[in-house]
Amino acid sequence: MGLLRLMALAALASQPGVAGGAETIGNSSVGITEFSVGKFRYFKLSRPFPEEAILRNISSNVTFLIFQIHSQYQNTTISFSKTFLPSTSATGTDKGLVFILRPEQSMCFWYMEALDAEPVQNVAIPLSYSERDPIPGGCNLEFDLDIDPNIYLEYDFFETTIKFAPANLGYARGTESPPCDIKTGQDTRWRLLYDVYQYFLPENDLTEEALLKHLQRMAEVPHVTANAIKVVTLTANDKTSVSFSSLRGQGVIYNVIVWDPVLNTSAAYVPTHTYACRLEAMEGSCSSLGRASTKVFFTLFALLGFFICFFGHRFWKTELFFIGFIFMGFFFYILITRLTPIKYDVRLILTAVAGSIGGIFLVAAWWRFGILTLCMLCVGLVLGFLISSVTFFTPLGNLTIFSNDDVFWVTFSGIAVLIPVVFMSCLRMLNILACGFVGSYSVVLAVDSYMYTSLSYITLNVLKRALSTHFRSAFTNVPFQTNEQEEGRERNIDRPPLQAPNQGAAY
């Protein structure tokens, strides 16, 4: 068997061809999967034996390669050798390795292995770069690999954080790599810039096919810049970590493009993805976004809001109960969440009770004292809260100045208070607008407990900001997609043709 393997490798090395040209076909008879530069390949990995991969006919002007492999949620390990050590391998759903080529080297080998018992569907691609291109992760001091092009992602309910290792300047084959931290001048890696990109998958699409197809738009520099949203540009002096608002149930792909402003060259890190939830979980998975308690709470809330939207102005006391419920319930939920370790379901029940008390209190205040101005002030503040939330839901909310909590809350409160002040001379108009906007938005919140909707984050981002001190640094972008936009993305001619997964086929 060993002799047969050597003969197969010799035959592969002797065949002519151009890297990145023709379609690659895996040789399953000898356990070797063949790749071509710049060509995506679908394949499956199964336990228990690692599979060897080969890339041949590498051009002499290529100085380093980045091989990346992606799966939806099952981990895959790639390694420089058959011995899978932490310093020579990477394990995860979106992982890559950097191959620094030796002089005259025209062929690369590496190994791939699935960790789960079930076969893992993967898509992978090797990408080539020249000596002028920066090397992603070339100045890694934090992670296990010597050169680490991977983006490390963590998420919780509030935020999703990506981290990556600093890059280094490119260099020719057979020469020493430039030092990372001896100098900080313009002839060192400190001149490099990092553009962080975000790409949203189609809403409510959790399929493996969609993910692997759209990942192909985030692997190479031209496609990343053409299809994704540039969120921020970091300098070499900035911390290589960026936070985003977690969008549970919404697929998001992140990537970083390192750019050399002197040579005007760039290179892409290995893209990573998340749904901010676990696809394989039996309970609380991505397919069941809302708990039963959440669905009951917001369904009842939406029924009352729907009534207020159309008839609230005529049923004054019912509207006051609705406004008082929101006013008291919102602040009470923040208070018990920050101060107590009570479970979510109990918090929601207590919030419903507190909100009901607030609603009854506002109705009683009107019945006993009949002060219209005080009641309309509460109505105007709730409308002002919603309008202020919409204001910070726009790109305005991502301005650096609002990462300061004092500036954010003063501005937010100022907008909320401004609304009742502006409309105080026209209380009828204020009341009609409050019933329409606040009542209809309650229906949006109910829909979000059954399926993903971006509009729920208008107020959810404010709630996250009030509950988490770390959320102030998070970017709060959300997808806003229409059918026409998706069709346009599919027709983009700047992108290579995409095809459905087909084991053993590549393009």
Side-chain angles (χ1 to χ4, degrees):
M1 185 64 185
L3 180 60
L4 179 60
R5 191 181 190 83
L6 292 175
M7 293 175 61
L9 292 177
L12 286 171
S14 64
Q15 295 177 6
V18 179
E23 186 175 277
T24 58
I25 303 297
N27 191 339
S28 58
S29 63
V30 293
I32 299 176
T33 301
E34 184 180 348
F35 289 89
S36 294
V37 171
K39 300 294 183 181
F40 286 96
R41 179 181 179 85
Y42 286 94
F43 60 97
K44 287 186 177 181
L45 290 177
S46 304
R47 291 181 66 185
F49 303 107
E51 184 167 340
E52 187 172 3
I54 182 174
L55 175 67
R56 58 193 180 89
N57 299 313
I58 302 173
S59 175
S60 59
N61 62 355
V62 174
T63 59
F64 71 95
L65 298 162
I66 297 180
F67 174 77
Q68 54 182 261
I69 185 170
H70 305 277
S71 61
Q72 188 175 30
Y73 65 90
Q74 297 167 285
N75 285 340
T76 302
T77 299
I78 53 176
S79 174
F80 291 110
S81 63
K82 282 187 176 180
T83 305
F84 289 72
L85 300 175
S87 60
T88 61
S89 64
T91 301
T93 55
D94 304 284
K95 290 300 175 182
L97 297 175
V98 173
F99 295 84
I100 302 298
L101 301 178
R102 302 183 304 274
E104 308 302 326
Q105 182 179 357
S106 62
M107 186 180 298
C108 276
F109 298 92
W110 62 94
Y111 298 86
M112 306 175 293
E113 182 182 49
L115 301 183
D116 292 348
E118 297 295 325
V120 180
Q121 179 72 59
N122 296 277
V123 63
I125 182 175
L127 298 173
S128 63
Y129 294 94
S130 70
E131 63 183 81
R132 293 170 58 88
D133 298 319
I135 303 175
C139 285
N140 172 45
L141 296 176
E142 182 178 358
F143 308 109
D144 291 330
L145 293 171
D146 290 337
I147 301 177
D148 197 335
N150 298 294
I151 298 173
Y152 293 84
L153 184 146
E154 299 175 349
Y155 72 85
D156 56 23
F157 171 78
F158 297 101
E159 59 184 339
T160 297
T161 302
I162 62 171
K163 300 179 181 179
F164 56 94
N168 199 1
L169 299 179
Y171 54 95
R173 293 196 191 192
T175 61
E176 293 292 329
S177 63
C180 289
D181 294 318
I182 295 179
K183 299 179 181 179
T184 59
Q186 284 298 301
D187 58 342
T188 67
R189 64 103 175 172
W190 292 91
R191 75 191 188 204
L192 299 177
L193 302 175
Y194 303 86
D195 293 335
V196 180
Y197 285 86
Q198 185 180 37
Y199 179 92
F200 295 108
L201 296 177
E203 293 183 21
N204 299 307
D205 191 344
L206 305 177
T207 61
E208 180 179 71
E209 178 183 358
L211 171 67
L212 298 184
K213 180 176 70 173
H214 286 274
L215 271 168
Q216 298 173 38
R217 300 175 179 174
M218 289 293 286
E220 301 177 77
V221 173
H223 303 146
V224 173
T225 56
N227 295 293
I229 302 169
K230 185 168 76 169
V231 178
V232 65
T233 297
L234 304 176
T235 67
N237 295 312
D238 295 324
K239 187 177 181 181
T240 54
S241 175
V242 182
S243 295
F244 303 84
S245 174
S246 291
L247 307 176
R248 190 165 183 263
Q250 169 62 49
V252 187
I253 304 174
Y254 301 98
N255 205 348
V256 178
I257 302 299
V258 55
W259 175 52
D260 187 336
V262 174
L263 300 179
N264 196 26
T265 57
S266 58
Y269 282 71
V270 177
T272 187
H273 76 278
T274 183
Y275 297 93
C277 53
R278 299 186 62 183
L279 288 168
E280 72 277 18
M282 298 299 295
E283 296 182 1
S285 66
C286 294
S287 58
S288 58
L289 291 179
R291 300 188 186 189
S293 58
T294 304
K295 293 178 180 178
V296 171
F297 180 90
F298 281 103
T299 299
L300 295 176
F301 181 65
L303 290 175
L304 179 58
F306 185 79
F307 177 83
I308 295 299
C309 178
F310 292 98
F311 307 107
H313 184 63
R314 297 183 179 181
F315 293 84
W316 172 238
K317 293 180 181 179
T318 306
E319 178 193 346
L320 287 181
F321 176 83
F322 181 68
I323 296 298
F325 182 93
I326 296 173
F327 210 94
M328 179 65 73
F330 181 79
F331 288 106
F332 182 81
Y333 182 84
I334 294 174
L335 185 67
I336 63 172
T337 301
R338 297 201 64 164
L339 299 181
T340 67
I342 299 175
K343 292 184 178 180
Y344 173 78
D345 292 339
V346 179
R347 292 202 307 269
L348 208 57
I349 294 173
L350 293 177
T351 299
V353 173
S356 300
I357 294 174
I360 294 172
F361 178 80
L362 190 58
V363 173
W366 164 255
W367 176 78
R368 177 65 180 84
F369 301 105
I371 304 176
L372 180 62
T373 304
L374 177 62
C375 295
M376 288 306 301
L377 177 62
C378 295
V379 173
L381 287 175
V382 172
L383 177 61
F385 170 84
L386 182 57
I387 292 177
S388 186
S389 300
V390 171
T391 302
F392 284 95
F393 187 68
T394 66
L396 180 68
N398 287 328
L399 294 179
T400 305
I401 189 174
F402 294 120
S403 61
N404 182 292
D405 279 335
D406 294 335
V407 175
F408 174 84
W409 288 116
V410 168
T411 307
F412 185 91
S413 302
I415 297 174
V417 172
L418 181 65
I419 299 303
V421 172
V422 170
F423 286 96
M424 196 54 67
S425 60
C426 188
L427 297 181
R428 177 183 176 88
M429 180 63 68
L430 174 62
N431 195 54
I432 293 175
L433 290 176
C435 290
F437 283 106
V438 179
S440 59
Y441 186 73
S442 66
V443 179
V444 173
L445 295 178
V447 171
D448 185 65
S449 63
Y450 294 92
M451 60 184 293
Y452 173 84
T453 171
S454 298
L455 295 180
S456 64
Y457 286 89
I458 291 175
T459 54
L460 186 56
N461 284 339
V462 179
L463 181 62
K464 288 182 178 182
R465 184 75 181 252
L467 294 176
S468 174
T469 57
H470 301 292
F471 191 74
R472 61 176 176 264
S473 60
F475 291 93
T476 56
N477 299 334
V478 298
F480 184 75
Q481 300 170 350
T482 64
N483 292 335
E484 289 78 10
Q485 286 176 324
E486 276 304 303
E487 291 172 0
R489 284 169 24 150
E490 294 292 342
R491 292 194 299 264
N492 192 330
I493 60 174
D494 292 333
R495 220 173 280 115
L498 304 176
Q499 65 182 44
N502 182 17
Q503 186 178 0
Y507 62 95

